[in-house]
Amino acid sequence: MKNSTISRSFMKYKFYFSIFFSMGLVSCVASDDWQTMPVVDNHSIVVHSNQGQTNDELNSLFSSVDIIPSHQYSLAELIDLSQSNNTELRSAWQQAKQAALASNAIKTTYIPNVSANIIGGYQKNDFDFTDSIHVNTRTKEIIPNLTLQWLIFDFGQRSDLLTSSDHLVSALKYNFNLTNQKFVYQVTLAYLNYNQAVKDLTLSEQGLSNTLVIQDSVKKKRVQGLATIVDVAQADQLVSQSKLDNVIAKNNKKNTYQQLLQAMGLSPLSKINIKTDSERKLPVSIAPVADQWIKAALISRPDILANYEVVKAKQANVNTAKKNYYPKVFVVANLSSSHSYWGAQSLPDLSQTSNGTNIFVGVHIPIYDGGARDIKVEQAKSQALESMEQFNNLKNNAANEIVIAINTLNSALESHQSALNLVKTANITYTASLSSYKQGLSTLTLVNESAKSLTYAKKIESQTYFASLIAASNLAFVLGFTINSDNILTVAN
């Protein structure tokens, strides 16, 4: 009989517990909004074998990527190769994911909170009444308890909290996009600087070749008695200067290559073939700034969109703080069961089973808190106003950045056109002076100066060419565009 009573008690407890647990399980289905966040479009690259490195310990400190030794990587492929391993991108993604999970946590406050407790105990006592009379007692008790707490009405405070949280999630999504754009922009700049270093090395080798031609002509004239020792010394000096420039250009190429690896987040010991691009035809100029450019940037730049979401979140926080003045309605339910057993020496065992069920509806009414709620409301209002000021300031700065970027690009394009003309005239002068010198119609000084002028003109042309590409990249970045090798100058056209 005792065992039957205990069994019925626990069956009843399990039945109610199953009901409450099923309600909570159905209501607690969390949103997976974070899975819909923007992700980087990483195209797969066919891999063969990774180049062996002599310093495995150093390589282990960096994200491992598979590099095809025989393949020449374009800018888009370099970005794709390193994008998924960028630590800043992964960090920004985790921040956005954490914000989404925090938003889901707020959603769980709409459903009941069910908890179960089981308390059990055993007690044994020995009593000595006389030297010959001893009594032993034993007591056992088990008390299972199931409690439900549910905030059913709060005048929309949780809704305001959820609205604020959702805006923060959106802000961090845009921040992830901004981090991605910054990464692409940094790799693009490093790639262009490396391209310029390669072009400068080529120009320095051409300049060295020109000075060697001059030196050879001077030596031939010296053999014929038509050149002086001073002429030979000047030619040798020009060759030495060209060799020095060539050494500097080689070192600059190595340094910009390492800077590109650093921007990509690769090991400094990585060996990768880079496809250079220095023959792109540039436009003469671009159209002046227009209102639609600025308007397009204000609705596409991720930093502006993220800041706008922060403003909306702060405004929702004001409503949340105001709801602290209103009462809250809640429900509390409790289901409990207890079973007690008492036994004594030489006496029949006694047991008792009891069940209890109760449900309460309560109202929490805030009356006085010394002005704490007023302070919270004023703090929320101040933060909302501050975020709005920051948003307006960001928009003004964005408009100025666009105007400056357009002016910079136009200036670079105009400079490049002038440099092209300079190279053309300098090349004519050098060719004519060298031919005249060989025929004995001009001096070596004129030839040396024309060679220096030609080398200088080509360097200026290279600098203005890549300055135009960098300026175009900067304009695309301030307009909120993602840069790649195909559309780097689309905005310029």
Side-chain angles (χ1 to χ4, degrees):
M1 182 67 179
K2 178 178 62 178
N3 294 334
S4 176
T5 303
I6 296 174
S7 177
R8 287 196 301 272
S9 175
F10 273 99
M11 288 298 293
K12 181 178 181 181
Y13 161 73
K14 290 173 63 178
F15 174 73
Y16 283 112
F17 179 83
S18 300
I19 293 176
F20 282 114
F21 181 79
S22 299
M23 290 173 56
L25 185 61
V26 172
S27 303
C28 285
V29 177
S31 172
D32 290 331
D33 293 341
W34 65 269
Q35 295 182 354
T36 62
M37 290 184 183
V39 296
V40 182
D41 184 16
N42 295 318
H43 305 290
S44 60
I45 296 180
V46 180
V47 297
H48 295 288
S49 61
N50 194 17
Q51 288 185 304
Q53 305 294 346
T54 57
N55 195 334
D56 294 336
E57 183 177 357
L58 178 60
N59 281 331
S60 64
L61 300 177
F62 297 86
S63 300
S64 60
V65 295
D66 292 313
I67 299 173
I68 306 174
S70 59
H71 181 68
Q72 282 193 327
Y73 287 88
S74 64
L75 173 58
E77 291 174 323
L78 292 175
I79 293 172
D80 182 78
L81 184 67
S82 57
Q83 203 167 37
S84 60
N85 291 317
N86 184 261
T87 55
E88 292 185 4
L89 282 175
R90 292 203 301 265
S91 176
W93 166 257
Q94 291 301 328
Q95 290 176 4
K97 181 179 179 180
Q98 291 168 17
L101 293 175
S103 178
N104 291 339
I106 296 176
K107 294 177 183 179
T108 62
T109 61
Y110 283 94
I111 61 178
N113 187 346
V114 181
S115 60
N117 299 289
I118 300 178
I119 301 175
Y122 173 81
Q123 184 178 16
K124 180 179 180 182
N125 297 312
D126 296 326
F127 298 96
D128 296 329
F129 292 100
T130 63
D131 293 339
S132 58
I133 301 176
H134 304 279
V135 178
N136 300 323
T137 62
R138 301 173 303 282
T139 304
K140 300 178 183 179
E141 187 166 6
I142 299 176
I143 306 175
N145 179 272
L146 189 65
T147 303
L148 179 143
Q149 296 177 335
W150 192 4
L151 178 62
I152 59 175
F153 187 68
D154 61 355
F155 287 91
Q157 187 176 47
R158 287 171 296 180
S159 177
D160 293 332
L161 282 172
L162 184 60
T163 300
S164 175
S165 179
D166 288 341
H167 283 301
L168 290 179
V169 171
S170 297
L172 287 173
K173 288 181 181 180
Y174 290 126
N175 182 67
F176 173 80
N177 291 339
L178 176 62
T179 304
N180 179 42
Q181 289 187 4
K182 285 182 177 179
F183 168 74
V184 173
Y185 179 59
Q186 291 170 357
V187 175
T188 300
L189 293 185
Y191 171 80
L192 293 176
N193 288 331
Y194 174 77
N195 274 251
Q196 182 177 353
V198 173
K199 182 66 177 294
D200 289 345
L201 178 58
T202 302
L203 294 177
S204 69
E205 291 173 348
Q206 292 176 357
L208 177 58
S209 177
N210 292 337
T211 58
L212 290 174
V213 171
I214 296 174
Q215 185 187 51
D216 182 66
S217 298
V218 172
K219 287 182 178 180
K220 288 180 180 179
K221 282 183 172 290
R222 176 61 178 167
V223 172
Q224 297 172 359
L226 301 176
T228 65
I229 297 178
V230 176
D231 292 338
V232 175
Q234 288 181 348
D236 292 341
Q237 180 183 355
L238 190 62
V239 171
S240 298
Q241 182 64 49
S242 297
K243 288 182 177 180
L244 177 60
D245 293 341
N246 187 255
V247 171
I248 295 175
K250 288 180 179 179
N251 183 65
N252 188 40
K253 178 186 176 183
K254 294 178 181 178
N255 290 339
T256 53
Y257 174 79
Q258 295 302 137
Q259 291 170 0
L260 177 57
L261 293 181
Q262 181 181 8
M264 295 173 61
L266 301 182
S267 167
L269 301 179
S270 300
K271 302 298 181 182
I272 182 170
N273 292 323
I274 300 172
K275 181 181 180 181
T276 58
D277 182 9
S278 60
E279 304 300 330
R280 187 188 300 267
K281 185 177 181 180
L282 302 183
V284 177
S285 63
I286 61 172
V289 62
D291 290 341
Q292 57 263 32
W293 287 45
I294 298 177
K295 292 179 180 178
L298 296 183
I299 61 175
S300 63
R301 277 181 48 154
D303 57 338
I304 295 178
L305 295 175
N307 199 276
Y308 176 75
E309 293 295 337
V310 171
V311 171
K312 302 299 291 184
K314 297 296 183 181
Q315 292 174 349
N317 287 340
V318 175
N319 296 329
T320 301
K322 290 180 179 180
K323 299 300 171 59
N324 288 324
Y325 290 96
Y326 301 110
K328 294 178 175 59
V329 181
F330 59 92
V331 173
V332 177
N334 183 71
L335 174 64
S336 62
S337 176
S338 65
H339 177 75
S340 301
Y341 164 82
W342 183 86
Q345 182 179 2
S346 302
L347 293 176
D349 296 338
L350 299 177
S351 63
Q352 180 182 3
T353 301
S354 63
N355 299 309
T357 302
N358 55 72
I359 182 169
F360 299 96
V361 177
V363 180
H364 171 76
I365 304 176
I367 298 177
Y368 179 74
D369 59 2
R373 288 171 294 177
D374 296 337
I375 294 174
K376 291 181 179 179
V377 171
E378 291 303 318
Q379 286 178 335
K381 288 181 178 179
S382 177
Q383 292 173 357
L385 291 174
E386 179 188 7
S387 64
M388 179 59 72
E389 294 299 331
Q390 292 176 350
F391 177 66
N392 292 330
N393 184 58
L394 181 61
K395 290 193 297 182
N396 293 333
N397 291 339
N400 290 329
E401 287 177 351
I402 295 171
V403 174
I404 293 174
I406 292 176
N407 293 337
T408 302
L409 177 56
N410 265 323
S411 177
L413 292 173
E414 292 174 2
S415 298
H416 179 64
Q417 293 300 317
S418 298
L420 289 175
N421 293 329
L422 182 61
V423 170
K424 182 179 180 180
T425 56
N427 188 55
I428 295 174
T429 301
Y430 168 73
T431 303
S433 62
L434 180 60
S435 177
S436 298
Y437 176 75
K438 290 180 179 180
Q439 297 175 8
L441 300 177
S442 64
T443 63
L444 180 62
T445 302
L446 178 60
V447 177
N448 290 342
E449 290 300 324
S450 63
K452 292 179 181 178
S453 298
L454 179 59
T455 300
Y456 171 78
K458 288 184 177 180
K459 287 184 177 179
I460 292 299
E461 187 274 331
S462 175
Q463 292 174 1
T464 55
Y465 174 83
F466 287 102
S468 299
L469 291 181
I470 291 175
S473 303
N474 180 64
L475 177 57
F477 179 69
V478 298
L479 287 174
F481 300 155
T482 300
I483 308 163
N484 60 51
S485 62
D486 296 326
N487 66 4
I488 189 173
L489 270 180
T490 299
V491 63
N493 293 324

